[in-house]
Amino acid sequence: RERLITQRECDDSLLEKRRQPDLRQGEILMQMGSISRSNRDFALELQMQTKFFEPFAWPDGRYQLNETVHYDGPQVVMPSSPAALIYEGVTRYMTESRILHDIRTYEDACLVAADDHTLSYQAKQLDPSCGPLLELLDGNSTFEEAVLASRMPSEAAARLLYTLACAGLVLFRPE
């Protein structure tokens, strides 16, 4: 996608991978001189983002982390908070109607801020205009009421509230 290598280099590296199945393609490309270590790390980060954000595109289904799988390959750090990563996935793949569909289970519940001192900081990093919305997280407003009263565009307010709920920063309390 990023065109760091030519099709020929890709084909040659895949051929070499068949000969040396224990090596990863990035390592082979580095041995061939086709990419640098930083190019490999960049490509791994893009690959990880694609894999990470892909479940947000699923119309239904669940993601389950398998903690028993051990990985000892190169480590790539995504330089974002959990809320920022969720927000990115929601922004890339979820429409307002999908968010409202997913949240309908809690339509009668009131929103309350989690006991997390980073809530305001994380929310304002995602959308600096969210102050009025955060004030509504007092246990008296439903999702829909908060979106309407937030003074933000409804899609932006829905996306932010959904993200904060997924990150455990906003909780749903039955009325």
Side-chain angles (χ1 to χ4, degrees):
R1 290 180 205 181
E2 298 298 316
R3 305 287 182 221
L4 296 176
I5 59 172
T6 66
Q7 185 62 50
R8 172 76 180 192
E9 290 170 316
C10 181
D11 293 342
D12 290 348
S13 69
L14 291 173
L15 200 63
E16 187 62 29
K17 173 104 177 102
R18 283 190 212 110
R19 284 186 227 142
Q20 298 185 61
D22 292 341
L23 286 180
R24 297 183 187 279
Q25 187 178 15
E27 299 301 319
I28 293 168
L29 286 163
M30 286 180 4
Q31 287 177 2
M32 291 169 49
S34 298
I35 61 171
S36 65
R37 181 173 300 282
S38 62
N39 287 143
R40 189 233 19 217
D41 292 347
F42 174 72
L44 286 173
E45 184 176 340
L46 288 177
Q47 182 182 45
M48 185 172 65
Q49 284 182 16
T50 300
K51 296 268 187 218
F52 181 85
F53 294 124
E54 185 179 87
F56 288 95
W58 299 348
D60 57 7
R62 293 184 181 270
Y63 174 82
Q64 184 173 355
L65 177 65
N66 183 350
E67 294 183 36
T68 63
V69 173
H70 178 71
Y71 174 75
D72 54 345
Q75 301 294 310
V76 179
V77 176
M78 293 180 75
S80 298
S81 69
L85 292 170
I86 294 167
Y87 189 77
E88 181 66 25
V90 170
T91 300
R92 285 186 190 192
Y93 293 109
M94 296 180 72
T95 62
E96 183 179 12
S97 62
R98 164 113 182 266
I99 291 169
L100 296 176
H101 176 269
D102 286 359
I103 213 80
R104 75 170 186 252
T105 310
Y106 304 103
E107 66 188 348
D108 294 328
C110 289
L111 301 171
V112 63
D115 186 22
D116 187 319
H117 66 281
T118 68
L119 168 63
S120 178
Y121 170 75
Q122 288 192 64
K124 287 179 181 175
Q125 270 193 320
L126 303 175
D127 191 323
S129 69
C130 73
L133 179 64
L134 296 179
E135 292 173 16
L136 298 168
L137 303 178
D138 59 3
N140 294 314
S141 301
T142 65
F143 188 91
E144 183 179 3
E145 291 166 345
V147 167
L148 293 173
S150 70
R151 293 187 257 154
M152 295 172 66
S154 65
E155 186 171 359
R159 183 183 321 121
L160 181 61
L161 279 176
Y162 182 82
T163 295
L164 296 174
C166 289
L169 296 170
V170 169
L171 308 173
F172 293 95
R173 188 175 70 200
E175 273 191 294

